[in-house]
Amino acid sequence: MSGMAGTAGMSADQAARYDALMARLERRYFPDTRAWVCGRASRETLEIAIGTGLNLAHYPADVRLTGVDHNPAALAIARGRARRQGRDLRLTEADATALPYPDAAFDTVVCTFALCEVPDDDAAITEALRVLRPGGSLLLADHVVATTRLVRFGQRALETLTIPLSGEHFTRRPSAHLLALGAEVIASDRFAHGAIERVHARKRRAAGKTDHDDPRPQ
Ligand SMILES: C[S@@+](CC[C@H](N)C(=O)[O-])C[C@H]1O[C@@H](n2cnc3c(N)ncnc32)[C@H](O)[C@@H]1O
């Protein structure tokens, strides 16, 4: 959301403007969404495309958090925020479609307001599910294609500009692909004319496997 993609040298001013814009959008269109998403995270958690770290304050204290983003300037801001909040956070510069972690390394993977601007969102979800253990939680929130025809029309018009300018899509809906990619939605919410969606999905286990077969069951 709001085109932070490709801002390789984001200044402190740009970051402050981004955070202020996000705060206004959140109050108006998706209040409590960061808390809804992050409150469901547990144990070893990876946040993909963590940006300036706006989710940090919403994670339970006992979550062990790792973050990635392809923008080093955003990571520097997230690092400062984590320090100020006294939160232990490991950060790595990485692309969402090529994560530097082994299979099944995390209990939870989070991605908020970023799949809209990753060039191949299915590839990013596939990679998120690769690093998630079977039965682990995939937690998403984003703006998605609206359920109201008029809003959809506006989204289509808007993305004729935003896709070429900043890579931002408005008519995607990642949750529609989750089942085919290997995850089941166990809770979701859609509001603001259906244009905001938050999703809690679980990575499917291989047939016949249960919690008892998992080396780190929840
Ligand atoms: C709109 S910001 C959202 C940041 C944060 N997730 C939030 O909820 O505020 C989108 C973020 O996605 C990151 N991003 C976009 N494409 C990416 C990719 N392919 N790999 C890693 N990060 C990416 C951008 O650098 C930016 O920090």
Side-chain angles (χ1 to χ4, degrees):
M1 182 179 273
S2 312
M4 273 171 60
T7 50
M10 187 196 307
S11 67
D13 270 5
Q14 283 171 313
R17 277 202 298 277
Y18 169 78
D19 289 356
L21 172 67
M22 259 297 188
R24 279 200 303 278
L25 292 171
E26 274 178 54
R27 272 197 302 276
R28 177 141 191 207
Y29 298 111
F30 46 96
D32 85 4
T33 290
R34 293 186 188 280
W36 189 98
V37 167
C38 301
R40 290 160 186 260
S42 65
R43 311 203 322 175
E44 287 296 336
T45 294
L46 173 68
E47 184 172 337
I48 294 168
I50 190 169
T52 61
L54 290 177
N55 284 331
L56 292 179
H58 300 282
Y59 286 104
D62 58 354
V63 157
R64 288 185 297 280
L65 193 58
T66 301
V68 298
D69 200 286
H70 68 174
N71 182 336
L75 289 176
I77 292 161
R79 189 171 290 112
R81 194 186 296 274
R83 199 179 312 116
R84 287 192 300 281
Q85 291 180 7
R87 175 169 279 282
D88 186 31
L89 171 65
R90 287 152 297 283
L91 287 172
T92 302
E93 185 180 332
D95 191 280
T97 56
L99 297 171
Y101 305 109
D103 296 356
F106 295 94
D107 299 290
T108 306
V109 176
V110 171
C111 187
T112 60
F113 305 104
L115 286 176
C116 54
E117 67 178 60
V118 173
D120 184 345
D121 56 338
D122 275 1
I125 293 171
T126 300
E127 187 64 345
L129 291 174
R130 181 186 67 75
V131 302
L132 187 60
R133 69 164 172 83
S137 291
L138 176 65
L139 300 166
L140 306 175
D142 222 316
H143 59 79
V144 297
V145 63
T147 46
T148 311
R149 191 180 298 181
L150 189 64
V151 178
R152 261 199 322 269
F153 178 79
Q155 288 176 314
R156 286 205 188 96
L158 188 58
E159 70 178 11
T160 61
L161 295 176
T162 58
I163 293 173
L165 285 176
S166 64
E168 184 164 9
H169 295 252
F170 282 87
T171 57
R172 285 178 169 175
R173 190 175 178 217
S175 69
H177 312 169
L178 286 176
L179 200 55
L181 296 174
E184 286 162 348
V185 174
I186 58 169
S188 68
D189 234 348
R190 200 168 171 193
F191 42 90
H193 300 280
I196 303 285
E197 186 169 44
R198 52 197 192 189
V199 175
H200 183 172
R202 272 202 200 294
K203 177 173 170 175
R204 276 208 303 265
R205 291 188 170 84
K209 296 273 184 187
T210 68
D211 265 356
H212 300 293
D213 303 308
D214 194 308
R216 292 175 299 139
Q218 274 190 327

